[in-house]
Structures are given as C-alpha cells and as structure tokens.
Amino acid sequence: MNSVTETCVVNVPRDSVFEFLSNIENIPKWATKFVSKLTLVDNKYKAMTPIGEVFIRLDTDKKAGLIDIYAGPTENNMTPAYMRIISLQDGTSTAVMFTFFQYDSTPDAIWEIFCEWIKIEVDNIRRHFS
C-alpha cells in the first residue's frame, strides 16, 4: 500500500495549531485543493470537492494531537487521512504531519493528484501560521 506524508513546522504553540486544524469549518482555509465549500446539512458536514460533494467529518484527540479526517460519498463509505500535531521541545514550535494512504479504491491517476495536493495543503497550513 502506498502512502505519502508531508510535514511542516510552525512557530506557534501546539494548542493554537490544534484548535485551528481541528475546527472542521476551517478546512476550506487550508485544504484549498480538496475543499472549495463546506456546508452543514442535518448536522452533518458536506464538502464540495473536485470529485463532487462528499460527507466529511473529523475525529479528534487533543491530548494526543490526533486529527483523523474522513471523507466519502456516503457516511458509510469514507476514506481516512491522518494528521498529527506535535509540540516540539521548546513549546513554541509545532510540527504538523499529514498522511494519506492509497487504498484499493483509489486509482493511480487520482493518487498522483492527491500526492501533489497534500504538499499544497501542508504549505497552506505553514503559510497560515507564518
């Protein structure tokens, strides 16, 4: 199984970075290649993406610094992506790691696009906190 991980370091405390990234309503601010619009329908979020409208949800664990992002055409058919928010030794800098896996349902051509997008999205996070 293929995977891709992109990482950035920002000079912002971990809690601030986690609060921003774990707020689902902020996704269009940093995931600009994947999410062009976010809507709330029946207490569930939907994102407009280049591959159509998808359900999207976040599972978060602030203490562990984990943000699991699920997106898919139905609530029962969602693919995860994983973020880890890590406080560095000095406490004023934070590392953000973002990982995608290529599942059997992801064609190679789409996977290559996702690999390019993750670089852009992580750079957007870095620029947001610069």
Side-chain angles (χ1 to χ4, degrees):
M1 176 180 288
N2 292 321
S3 68
V4 61
T5 299
E6 290 291 328
T7 303
C8 70
V9 175
V10 296
N11 294 321
V12 177
R14 178 186 173 275
D15 286 350
S16 296
V17 175
F18 187 87
E19 290 304 318
F20 176 77
L21 293 173
S22 66
N23 181 343
I24 196 167
E25 294 185 0
N26 288 333
I27 287 179
K29 295 177 183 175
W30 62 268
T32 59
K33 286 293 187 184
F34 188 66
V35 177
S36 61
K37 181 180 176 186
L38 192 66
T39 57
L40 185 61
V41 178
D42 297 327
N43 289 326
K44 296 174 186 354
Y45 282 94
K46 288 188 169 185
M48 184 53 66
T49 74
I51 56 174
E53 188 174 61
V54 298
F55 284 92
I56 190 165
R57 81 167 196 274
L58 303 181
D59 291 347
T60 64
D61 181 334
K62 184 175 182 175
K63 183 176 180 182
L66 303 174
I67 302 170
D68 297 342
I69 305 168
Y70 294 87
T74 69
E75 292 179 272
N76 295 325
N77 185 14
M78 300 174 91
T79 302
Y82 305 97
M83 294 185 94
R84 181 80 194 261
I85 315 305
I86 304 164
S87 180
L88 299 178
Q89 284 183 326
D90 64 4
T92 62
S93 297
T94 302
V96 177
M97 296 171 41
F98 195 11
T99 300
F100 284 158
F101 291 92
Q102 182 182 15
Y103 295 94
D104 292 340
S105 61
T106 307
D108 289 342
I110 298 296
W111 171 249
E112 290 177 21
I113 292 168
F114 285 173
C115 289
E116 290 303 312
W117 286 358
I118 193 173
K119 292 175 188 175
I120 293 166
E121 310 303 32
V122 170
D123 193 51
N124 288 341
I125 293 167
R126 182 191 54 74
R127 283 188 290 117
H128 174 80
F129 290 105
S130 295

